[in-house]
Amino acid sequence: MMATKKEEQAKITPQGAIDRLKAGNKRFVESQGVNRDLPAEVVQTSTGQYPYATILHCIDSRVSAELVFDEGVGDVFSVRIAGNFVNDDILGSMEFACKLAGTKLILVLGHTACGAVKGACDDAKLGNLTTLISKLKPAVAAVDSPSDPSERTSKNIDFVNNVAEKNVYMTIDNIRSQSAVLKEMEDNGEIKIVGGMYDIKDGSVTFYE
């Protein structure tokens, strides 16, 4: 198995990119990963890269996009930030990835038991982390249930996971509303913007399409 080639990137459709990620995650979960020659992929991609997808996901050490989707060198753009939200820098990176570098898909990937989301649920404060966590508070507020404040904390894992899911959807909305470039590409059918949730217990990804 070699890295994605230029002709492969050009040929793949946005739906085809989703299907490829799904197939890769299935291999990961079933421990049937592709046998890769990573040093050979390094050499192959030294003259150019042709990734087919851009994946925004958390810095959590258990959630590495290349691993959970069984991809190699040069296959995906990996954008990582605690809480997998967007800002101007990340949106600019996505615009580069899609408009200039040719990826056909943006996947916003959350994960269960997210520490950043837990911090937002608990209104944690610590240096610059306080500002980061504030970006996730709209998702906390958007989850109505439970209404009892004592149940709206990191101790309630169902609440945490519901907030993580809501954050994925809100991040997708923010991409569309804050990037005219990406919105136009999606409207034209050039790319898809979808969400997903990684389960840290079994390695599976549920897609929100």
Side-chain angles (χ1 to χ4, degrees), residues 19-29 67-70:
D19 294 342
R20 177 166 165 176
L21 289 179
K22 287 182 176 179
N25 182 243
K26 184 174 186 292
R27 293 194 303 271
F28 173 74
V29 170
L67 293 177
V68 304
F69 293 113
D70 190 31

Side-chain angles (χ1 to χ4, degrees), residues 163-183:
V163 172
E165 179 177 345
K166 176 63 71 173
N167 181 55
V168 167
Y169 282 111
M170 293 179 75
T171 298
I172 292 172
D173 289 343
N174 288 338
I175 293 170
R176 290 171 175 152
S177 65
Q178 296 174 24
S179 173
V181 171
L182 298 173
K183 180 65 165 62

Side-chain angles (χ1 to χ4, degrees), residues 35-205:
N35 184 22
R36 298 182 182 279
D37 185 344
L38 294 177
E41 291 183 0
V42 170
V43 173
Q44 178 194 346
T45 56
S46 64
T47 56
Q49 59 171 339
Y50 305 99
Y52 70 93
T54 300
I55 304 172
L56 170 63
H57 57 308
C58 188
I59 66 168
D60 193 292
S61 63
R62 299 164 292 184
V63 192
S64 172
E66 290 85 351
L67 293 177
V68 304
F69 293 113
D70 190 31
E71 292 295 2
V73 179
D75 292 326
V76 298
F77 279 124
S78 183
V79 186
R80 305 191 71 167
I81 187 169
N84 43 269
F85 62 88
V86 290
N87 57 23
D88 289 347
D89 300 317
I90 290 174
L91 288 170
S93 297
M94 289 177 167
E95 289 171 357
F96 165 79
C98 294
K99 191 70 175 180
L100 300 181
T103 65
K104 306 297 179 64
L105 175 71
I106 291 176
L107 170 64
V108 179
L109 183 66
H111 70 92
T112 58
C114 178
V117 170
K118 288 180 178 180
C121 292
D122 292 343
D123 195 25
K125 298 187 186 303
L126 174 66
N128 291 307
L129 184 60
T130 305
T131 302
L132 183 149
I133 285 176
S134 70
K135 310 294 177 57
L136 305 176
K137 287 184 179 179
V140 177
V143 176
D144 296 329
S145 180
S147 57
D148 183 349
S150 68
E151 294 295 318
R152 297 175 64 84
T153 72
S154 63
K155 294 180 180 179
N156 184 347
I157 192 61
D158 290 333
F159 178 63
V160 169
N161 291 340
N162 287 338
V163 172
E165 179 177 345
K166 176 63 71 173
N167 181 55
V168 167
Y169 282 111
M170 293 179 75
T171 298
I172 292 172
D173 289 343
N174 288 338
I175 293 170
R176 290 171 175 152
S177 65
Q178 296 174 24
S179 173
V181 171
L182 298 173
K183 180 65 165 62
E184 181 181 38
M185 292 187 74
E186 184 181 40
D187 290 344
N188 291 339
E190 300 171 71
I191 65 170
K192 280 193 173 186
I193 305 172
V194 301
M197 186 64 60
Y198 176 82
D199 190 330
I200 63 167
K201 291 182 178 180
D202 63 16
S204 65
V205 174

